[in-house]
């Protein structure tokens, strides 16, 4: 069965041309003109790789990438007209695997797609880790049973504490502001005077960290937010 690739770009001509290149290589191609449509297609189909534009109206590519990474680990290649190093760093930090600038060479794109698919296939075969388990160092999070283990010891978290820990763990290495964490976990608008997230993270650290004052799991990025 051919690999299924999703092209996400608000430019219909780029979707069309890129789709032709990929279909000529034998790939099964799906197309989305915006982030919302892309997330719906990923929910409904088994996607093997995503080619994602950054500058799109509504939900931009960075936000789409972070949303995909909450539940999916397929390779993501950004295809963007933004060529500055900072843009590339931001794109890769959001969870993407590669970054190609427009205008792009079709053969280079195909080569990078093949490389990412080979890498992901090898990784999936080697790890064989159940999707409901997130393992970071000595920390194990079971998203089905909502259990947390530090070594062999189970840690009791409140529902909101678990939701914060799971969100950060699923997006390992990505820094999230207090506002972003609050809006994601509580689903409500954040108010600047609200210290709810800070209080919850302090409590999580007290439960999972050997030394809460020197955390090894939930790190503070001063002036920005938190990350695992």
């Amino acid at each position: 069965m051919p690999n299924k690739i999703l092209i996400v770009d608000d430019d219909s001509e780029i979707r069309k041309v890129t789709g032709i290149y990929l279909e000529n290589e034998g790939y099964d191609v799906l197309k989305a003109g915006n982030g919302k449509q892309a997330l719906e297609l990923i929910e409904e189909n088994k996607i093997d790789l995503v080619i994602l534009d950054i500058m799109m109206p509504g939900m931009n590519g960075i936000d789409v990438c972070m949303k995909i990474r909450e539940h999916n680990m397929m390779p993501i290649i950004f295809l963007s007209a933004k060529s500055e190093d900072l843009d590339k760093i931001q794109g890769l930090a959001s969870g993407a695997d590669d970054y190609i600038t427009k205008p792009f060479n079709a053969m280079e794109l195909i080569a990078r797609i093949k490389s990412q698919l080979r890498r992901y296939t090898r990784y999936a075969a080697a790890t064989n880790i159940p999707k409901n388990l997130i393992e970071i160092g000595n920390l194990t999070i079971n998203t089905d049973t909502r259990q947390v283990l530090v070594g062999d010891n189970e840690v009791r978290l409140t529902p909101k504490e678990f939701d914060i820990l799971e969100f950060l763990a699923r997006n390992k290495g990505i820094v999230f502001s207090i506002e972003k964490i609050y809006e994601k976990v509580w689903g409500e608008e954040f108010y600047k005077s609200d210290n709810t997230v800070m209080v919850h993270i302090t409590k999580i650290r007290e439960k999972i960290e050997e030394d809460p004052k020197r955390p090894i799991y939930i790190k503070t990025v001063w002036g920005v937010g938190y990350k695992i």
Side-chain angles (χ1 to χ4, degrees), residues 1-220:
M1 183 178 293
N3 289 116
K4 186 170 291 186
I5 297 179
L6 173 62
I7 303 169
V8 188
D9 200 303
D10 61 324
D11 188 323
S12 60
E13 188 63 23
I14 288 179
R15 293 198 305 271
K16 177 182 176 182
V17 172
T18 307
I20 292 172
Y21 290 142
L22 299 183
E23 287 168 353
N24 287 341
E25 290 291 323
Y27 294 115
D28 189 1
V29 176
L30 293 177
K31 302 171 187 176
N34 57 60
K36 182 176 181 295
Q37 186 181 4
L39 294 174
E40 290 172 352
L41 287 171
I42 290 171
E43 186 73 24
E44 297 166 359
N45 298 271
K46 182 186 178 301
I47 306 297
D48 296 297
L49 183 142
V50 179
I51 297 173
L52 181 60
D53 183 32
I54 290 182
M55 299 297 289
M56 295 188 294
M59 185 183 296
N60 65 39
I62 299 291
D63 289 339
V64 174
C65 182
M66 291 168 59
K67 193 72 177 174
I68 292 172
R69 281 292 179 250
E70 290 179 18
H71 302 288
N72 299 276
M73 292 305 297
M74 82 284 279
I76 298 174
I77 299 177
F78 273 128
L79 193 62
S80 175
K82 302 178 74 174
S83 60
E84 296 296 323
D85 288 342
L86 186 60
D87 297 318
K88 294 180 182 180
I89 291 169
Q90 183 182 15
L92 295 172
S94 71
D97 299 276
D98 205 348
Y99 192 112
I100 301 178
T101 55
K102 302 176 184 176
F104 62 93
N105 179 286
M107 297 311 296
E108 179 186 2
L109 176 62
I110 297 298
R112 295 205 190 188
I113 287 171
K114 290 180 178 178
S115 174
Q116 289 298 330
L117 288 173
R118 282 196 303 269
R119 182 197 61 79
Y120 180 71
T121 300
R122 286 198 301 268
Y123 171 79
T127 56
N128 198 27
I129 297 173
K131 291 184 178 180
N132 64 311
L133 292 184
I134 303 173
E135 296 181 341
I136 302 171
N138 212 28
L139 181 69
T140 303
I141 304 166
N142 188 317
T143 59
D144 285 350
T145 62
R146 294 177 71 83
Q147 290 177 300
V148 176
L149 299 176
V150 178
D152 296 324
N153 300 314
E154 184 173 355
V155 176
R156 300 285 184 177
L157 299 184
T158 67
K160 282 293 185 284
E161 288 169 0
F162 183 90
D163 290 343
I164 291 171
L165 182 62
E166 180 187 359
F167 174 62
L168 292 174
R170 285 192 180 278
N171 297 279
K172 181 182 175 184
I174 302 174
V175 183
F176 291 98
S177 65
I178 291 174
E179 177 181 358
K180 192 77 173 181
I181 294 171
Y182 185 89
E183 292 178 349
K184 176 62 184 177
V185 173
W186 274 266
E188 301 172 359
E189 185 178 354
F190 176 78
Y191 294 95
K192 289 185 177 181
S193 60
D194 196 323
N195 66 349
T196 301
V197 171
M198 295 173 64
V199 171
H200 277 72
I201 286 180
T202 297
K203 291 181 177 178
I204 296 169
R205 282 173 168 166
E206 290 172 351
K207 296 176 180 180
I208 70 170
E209 301 283 1
E210 185 174 343
D211 182 356
K213 293 182 179 179
R214 296 180 178 179
I216 62 172
Y217 294 115
I218 300 181
K219 299 280 192 179
T220 300

